[in-house]
Amino acid sequence: MPVTQDNKNWTRFGLALCMEGRDALACVFTWLYQGGFPVTVSNVNLFDHEKTILQDSTDAAAFDITLLYKLLRRVCGLADIKDPTWTTPGPSGPSLEHLIYKLKTFRDNKWGHINKMTEQDLKENLTELRNILKMMLAKAGARCGKDSREVDRMFRNFTVFIDALLEKNTEPVFQRQMGGLTPLSWEDPNRLHQEDLLVLQEQDLNQLCYVFAVIKAGRLVLDTVFRWSYRGTFPVHNYLTEELGYTKAQFRQTFDAYQRDKLQASADSTSFDFILLYKLLQRVCGLADIHDPTWTTPGPLGPSLEHLIYKLKQHRNYAVHGQLSMTEQDFKTTLKELKDLMVQVLTQAGGRFGRTDNDVSQVINSVTEYIDASYTKITELLDPSDLADMETTSTNR
């Protein structure tokens, strides 16, 4: 699995979104939130790691986009979560709520569910992200009575990397700092005076490598199991409705709009992302019923294929929604666990669906080689000299 230019574009967009976009959303949360820390919230569906983050919180520094979105809808005095202003722009333009919603869906549909992006899509997505941040900060600032100069300064802080990518800036955008230096804070008024550089620390790089390994290699593992096990036809939508009897209501309830479009247009599984593949494996591939405890609980004889697939999905959730950085030791431990888990999934799936040892070995080799090389690949990807020539692929590296 070589790192292509489209993979690089996706990762660069992820950096802009998960660093700049997250910081802007954290700023909005800080402006609006009138409560104390740790943050307490009820009637919210939280992952276990999100509960831990909230329990330990003294500020919004560790909150990712998804957690910030959940909190903004509940504890910041915005419109009721069922108010259509969240999902629908009004006649006079998008509300603050709708802009926050757009940033969250942007994160889901433009980054969280894919692993590559064309050059043109990168430019368009960065431009749209920049516009969302500008309007969101302006509306949040106005609602909180912030001085317009303060809002403008914060906006400039949050678009350093975005502007560099859009302008194809030849100056270094990242200063890699190893050894546990304190990262720059968006709250620091001198942030832009520190040589206009974002500080990408070793623990940040580790997290990026982990995310890339889960999203790209993990998706390949699930896609392989899907291809080995699926006995239906394409488009999958037709198989679900005509063969399995899904009603329109069931189809819409099970799959979101993004996933429904993929299923209706599918000629194969190439465009299916991690989450869509997981949903399909639970429903159309001859595995245990979705409500069977074998998915979430290892049996007395060891974990089933279903449970191993579930654990791989938990890795995906942790990578996308978990902590924003990872120590070197945690990185090594987690990456080894991830690699071992993928080998187990492929080995059990190969046995269950009658694949040859050679079939299984080929996929295992591809996955493990990619994960072993992930740190080097991401480091090369973020090299400032490479940023200066975004049109050039890395096929000769």
Side-chain angles (χ1 to χ4, degrees), residues 249-268:
Q250 288 175 313
F251 185 60
R252 292 182 64 85
Q253 184 178 13
T254 304
F255 304 100
D256 63 30
Y258 176 85
Q259 294 167 342
R260 294 196 298 270
D261 288 343
K262 294 293 183 184
L263 293 175
Q264 288 167 342
S266 60
D268 55 35

Side-chain angles (χ1 to χ4, degrees), residues 317-336:
N317 288 345
Y318 181 73
V320 176
H321 300 299
Q323 63 191 59
L324 304 177
S325 62
M326 184 178 289
T327 66
E328 183 69 13
Q329 184 57 49
D330 285 344
F331 173 68
K332 291 179 179 178
T333 301
T334 305
L335 213 60
K336 183 181 185 304

Side-chain angles (χ1 to χ4, degrees), residues 125-138:
N125 289 338
L126 287 171
T127 300
E128 184 174 354
L129 174 62
R130 194 179 191 279
N131 292 337
I132 290 173
L133 299 188
K134 186 175 183 64
M135 289 188 289
M136 183 179 72
L137 288 166

Side-chain angles (χ1 to χ4, degrees), residues 9 38-40 62 85 101 115 125 156 161 163 183 251 256 265 271 275 290 294 302 311 364:
N9 292 337
V39 177
T40 57
T85 191
Y101 169 80
N115 59 38
N125 289 338
R156 291 195 302 273
F161 183 53
D163 291 342
F251 185 60
D256 63 30
S271 66
I275 295 301
I290 187 173
T294 191
K311 287 180 66 177
I364 287 176

Side-chain angles (χ1 to χ4, degrees), residues 137-146 151:
L137 288 166
K139 287 186 177 291
R143 188 171 296 196
C144 300
K146 295 289 183 182
V151 174

Side-chain angles (χ1 to χ4, degrees), residues 17-203:
L17 179 65
C18 296
M19 292 172 58
E20 309 281 59
R22 189 220 77 91
D23 282 359
L25 201 61
C27 177
V28 172
F29 173 80
T30 302
W31 284 351
L32 296 174
Y33 181 56
Q34 301 299 313
F37 291 90
V39 177
T40 57
V41 60
S42 59
N43 300 322
V44 180
N45 185 19
L46 296 172
F47 296 115
D48 288 341
H49 68 266
E50 290 177 329
K51 296 176 183 177
T52 301
I53 289 171
L54 289 182
Q55 289 168 358
D56 296 339
S57 62
T58 57
D59 55 33
F63 301 168
D64 76 323
I65 288 176
T66 300
L67 181 53
L68 285 165
Y69 178 72
K70 292 177 180 180
L71 295 176
L72 282 161
R73 285 163 61 91
R74 296 284 186 171
V75 300
C76 291
L78 297 178
D80 182 83
I81 60 172
K82 296 181 180 179
D83 194 306
T85 191
W86 283 97
T87 55
T88 307
S92 58
S95 64
L96 172 59
E97 288 84 353
H98 185 62
L99 291 165
I100 293 170
Y101 169 80
K102 284 186 68 176
L103 182 60
K104 168 62 167 59
T105 55
F106 211 56
R107 174 225 163 273
D108 293 343
N109 297 337
K110 301 293 186 179
W111 185 72
H113 295 300
I114 60 175
N115 59 38
K116 58 186 178 179
M117 186 175 293
T118 66
E119 183 76 10
Q120 183 60 37
D121 284 343
L122 174 64
K123 293 177 182 177
E124 292 176 359
N125 289 338
L126 287 171
T127 300
E128 184 174 354
L129 174 62
R130 194 179 191 279
N131 292 337
I132 290 173
L133 299 188
K134 186 175 183 64
M135 289 188 289
M136 183 179 72
L137 288 166
K139 287 186 177 291
R143 188 171 296 196
C144 300
K146 295 289 183 182
D147 187 281
S148 60
R149 291 170 296 182
E150 168 70 2
V151 174
D152 288 342
R153 182 180 69 80
M154 299 307 287
F155 173 68
R156 291 195 302 273
N157 281 3
F158 301 141
T159 53
V160 175
F161 183 53
I162 296 173
D163 291 342
L165 285 174
L166 286 172
E167 296 168 9
K168 294 190 178 178
N169 194 338
T170 58
E171 295 300 318
V173 176
F174 288 101
Q175 178 185 18
R176 276 193 288 276
Q177 301 280 11
M178 306 302 180
L181 297 180
T182 302
L184 292 176
S185 168
W186 57 262
E187 297 170 315
D188 182 357
N190 297 314
R191 183 181 188 222
L192 283 179
H193 300 297
Q194 300 185 45
E195 299 179 351
D196 288 342
L197 296 174
L198 295 178
V199 176
L200 185 66
Q201 295 186 274
E202 186 174 26
Q203 54 263 41

Side-chain angles (χ1 to χ4, degrees), residues 212-395:
F212 204 69
V214 172
I215 295 295
K216 192 170 172 64
R219 189 218 155 272
L220 173 63
V221 170
L222 291 193
D223 188 34
T224 299
V225 178
F226 176 80
R227 290 170 186 266
W228 287 350
S229 59
Y230 182 56
R231 297 294 180 266
T233 57
F234 290 93
V236 177
H237 164 266
N238 293 359
Y239 180 70
L240 284 163
T241 56
E242 296 172 9
E243 299 295 328
L244 299 185
Y246 271 60
T247 65
K248 288 184 178 180
Q250 288 175 313
F251 185 60
R252 292 182 64 85
Q253 184 178 13
T254 304
F255 304 100
D256 63 30
Y258 176 85
Q259 294 167 342
R260 294 196 298 270
D261 288 343
K262 294 293 183 184
L263 293 175
Q264 288 167 342
S266 60
D268 55 35
S269 59
T270 303
S271 66
F272 296 170
D273 75 304
F274 195 112
I275 295 301
L276 180 52
L277 285 166
Y278 181 76
K279 285 186 176 182
L280 292 174
L281 285 166
Q282 288 192 307
R283 291 167 172 83
V284 301
C285 292
L287 298 179
D289 181 83
I290 187 173
H291 301 296
D292 193 307
T294 191
W295 283 97
T296 56
T297 307
L301 300 179
S304 64
L305 173 60
E306 289 84 353
H307 185 63
L308 294 170
I309 293 171
Y310 169 80
K311 287 180 66 177
L312 187 55
K313 179 180 177 289
Q314 295 298 93
H315 266 279
R316 182 264 176 198
N317 288 345
Y318 181 73
V320 176
H321 300 299
Q323 63 191 59
L324 304 177
S325 62
M326 184 178 289
T327 66
E328 183 69 13
Q329 184 57 49
D330 285 344
F331 173 68
K332 291 179 179 178
T333 301
T334 305
L335 213 60
K336 183 181 185 304
E337 177 186 332
L338 177 65
K339 182 168 63 173
D340 292 344
L341 176 60
M342 290 181 180
V343 171
Q344 287 181 285
V345 170
L346 291 167
T347 301
Q348 281 213 29
R352 183 179 294 195
F353 301 114
R355 311 306 297 193
T356 67
D357 291 344
N358 186 56
D359 289 339
V360 176
S361 295
Q362 284 184 348
V363 184
I364 287 176
N365 289 340
S366 179
V367 167
T368 55
E369 286 174 7
Y370 179 82
I371 292 178
D372 288 341
S374 61
Y375 190 89
T376 301
K377 290 177 183 291
I378 297 294
T379 304
E380 289 176 354
L381 183 153
L382 295 174
D383 190 282
S385 62
D386 180 60
L387 181 61
D389 188 10
M390 293 174 64
E391 302 295 338
T392 303
T393 64
S394 61
T395 54

